[in-house]
Amino acid sequence: MRTIVVARMDNDGDVLLAGPALRALAATDRVMLLVSPSGEQAARQLPGIRDVLVWPCPWTGFDPPKVDRRSVNTLIDALALEHLGAGFVLTSFHQSPLPMAFLLRMAGLRYLAANCEDYPGSLLDLRNAPGPGHEVERGLSLVRAAGYELPDGDDGGLRVKRILPAPEGKYVVVHPGATVPARTAGPRWFRSLVAALAADGHQVYVTGSPSERTLTSFVAGSNGLDLGGRTKYAELAAVLDGADCVVVGNTGPAHLAAAVRTPVVSLFAPVVPLDRWAPWKVPSVVLGDQQAGCRDTRARQCPIPGHPCLDDVPVEEAVTAVRKLVEEVA
């Protein structure tokens, strides 16, 4: 087996969506996964990865660091010491693989592959054109073009390592936060949802990061159990694993729920395309006006007053969607 490096420089949800492509590579090669700090938690939960290398990438993420020559040289030297057989650069449809390809060439890699629309010069040996489709399919298209396939019995769904046991009992998870505010509903909408779900007979857990404790406390109110800031990534995976259903915006925990095969009610704002980022291979109901004026803007803050594509969704529709998914998988 040879060792190859795969770069996926973005957030946890993006790294999870790379999982099927990574498993196809890991079926025959040892895989070193290169990620940014914002993707490290997910990277360490993916099966089939030999090693994880973390580097603060200056061209991805919402608050990227400045370009630093010492940091770049350290990465190049570290990769050169690994004597890597090949490199794959995984990107979203709106990102260029060429900056990372350049660094991998500097590290001495002789074979590089990426999905790429731009002219790559001598930076790529395989320049793949994946076409439209889900981000998971985009990654699989690249590795298949290089001759890799998922192993027999692998359905191409998302996966994570199962390390911690799920909580006991029946419950529904509501995850109100998102790194990009435009991709989730507002706090008052979620607070109303938690109250409505409790009235419908559900135990409701409200999850969020340590920075979202004020949000989760408000959303939980007196009707839900506030877990804001109380679950690290593996613990969050366990909570989602045990849930009957998860209500969440288009953000990383939606993909983590899909990775543990928990049904998802997806509050999906059309600022990015639904066909590329919808919950993957898991029972789901999508709510939100996909024809709203913010469509395809990739806006971080909703450009339309009142965030109508999500905040105007009737809470009763979300309760009905939860009921439907819970009954389907019961």
Side-chain angles (χ1 to χ4, degrees):
M1 296 179 71
R2 65 176 180 168
T3 299
I4 63 174
V5 63
V6 182
R8 185 60 178 102
M9 312 304 296
D10 226 317
N11 297 323
D12 286 322
D14 306 289
V15 173
L16 289 176
L17 294 176
L22 292 166
R23 295 200 305 273
L25 295 169
T28 55
D29 291 337
R30 292 185 294 266
V31 175
M32 171 185 284
L33 181 56
L34 173 62
V35 297
S36 60
S38 60
E40 181 180 5
Q41 294 182 113
R44 297 197 182 280
Q45 294 298 320
L46 291 178
I49 305 302
R50 169 182 172 263
D51 197 11
V52 175
L53 183 62
V54 182
W55 182 63
C57 181
W59 58 81
T60 62
F62 303 120
D63 187 23
K66 294 181 179 180
V67 176
D68 181 83
R69 180 182 296 184
R70 181 179 299 177
S71 174
V72 170
N73 289 338
T74 298
L75 174 66
I76 292 171
D77 291 343
L79 292 171
L81 290 173
E82 295 290 336
H83 304 291
L84 298 160
F88 292 80
V89 184
L90 299 180
T91 57
S92 297
F93 74 98
H94 55 82
Q95 296 171 330
S96 171
L98 297 184
M100 180 54 68
F102 180 79
L103 296 190
L104 295 180
R105 280 287 195 234
M106 293 290 290
L109 274 82
R110 297 184 178 181
Y111 179 89
L112 291 177
N115 294 318
C116 187
E117 296 182 1
D118 302 321
Y119 173 63
S122 62
L123 295 181
L124 296 177
D125 300 286
L126 172 60
R127 177 191 181 192
N128 185 55
H134 199 278
E135 290 294 300
V136 172
E137 295 171 319
R138 179 179 173 85
L140 286 171
S141 172
L142 174 61
V143 300
R144 284 170 175 155
Y148 294 84
E149 290 289 345
L150 288 164
D152 291 343
D154 191 325
D155 69 353
L158 306 186
R159 293 183 187 174
V160 289
K161 300 173 185 176
R162 303 296 180 92
I163 299 175
L164 301 174
E168 296 181 356
K170 296 180 70 62
Y171 58 90
V172 169
V173 169
V174 170
H175 189 93
T179 306
V180 178
R183 299 185 190 178
T184 191
R188 293 188 181 280
W189 189 93
F190 274 111
R191 183 181 174 96
S192 297
L193 173 66
V194 170
L197 288 172
D200 202 46
H202 299 283
Q203 171 70 56
V204 184
Y205 293 173
V206 180
T207 56
S209 68
S211 65
E212 294 169 335
R213 284 174 175 159
T214 300
L215 170 65
T216 59
S217 175
F218 175 79
V219 168
S222 61
N223 296 291
L225 176 63
D226 178 16
L227 297 181
R230 294 167 57 186
T231 55
K232 296 182 179 179
Y233 201 75
E235 295 166 329
L236 176 60
V239 170
L240 297 176
D241 188 17
D244 293 327
C245 182
V246 178
V247 185
V248 60
N250 176 27
T251 187
H255 304 306
L256 185 56
V260 295
R261 306 300 172 101
T262 296
V264 176
V265 174
S266 174
L267 295 166
F268 201 100
V271 290
V272 295
L274 175 64
D275 60 353
R276 291 189 179 273
W277 299 99
W280 179 251
K281 284 187 178 290
V282 67
S284 63
V285 174
V286 175
L287 302 178
D289 180 6
Q290 299 306 301
Q291 305 303 317
C294 61
R295 183 179 181 184
D296 295 336
T297 61
R298 302 217 309 266
R300 294 194 61 198
Q301 299 286 342
C302 181
I304 301 175
H307 199 21
C309 69
L310 294 184
D311 283 359
D312 284 356
V313 172
V315 168
E316 294 76 14
E317 284 190 17
V319 174
T320 299
V322 169
R323 192 184 303 133
K324 173 179 179 291
L325 289 174
V326 170
E327 290 174 353
E328 284 182 357
V329 300

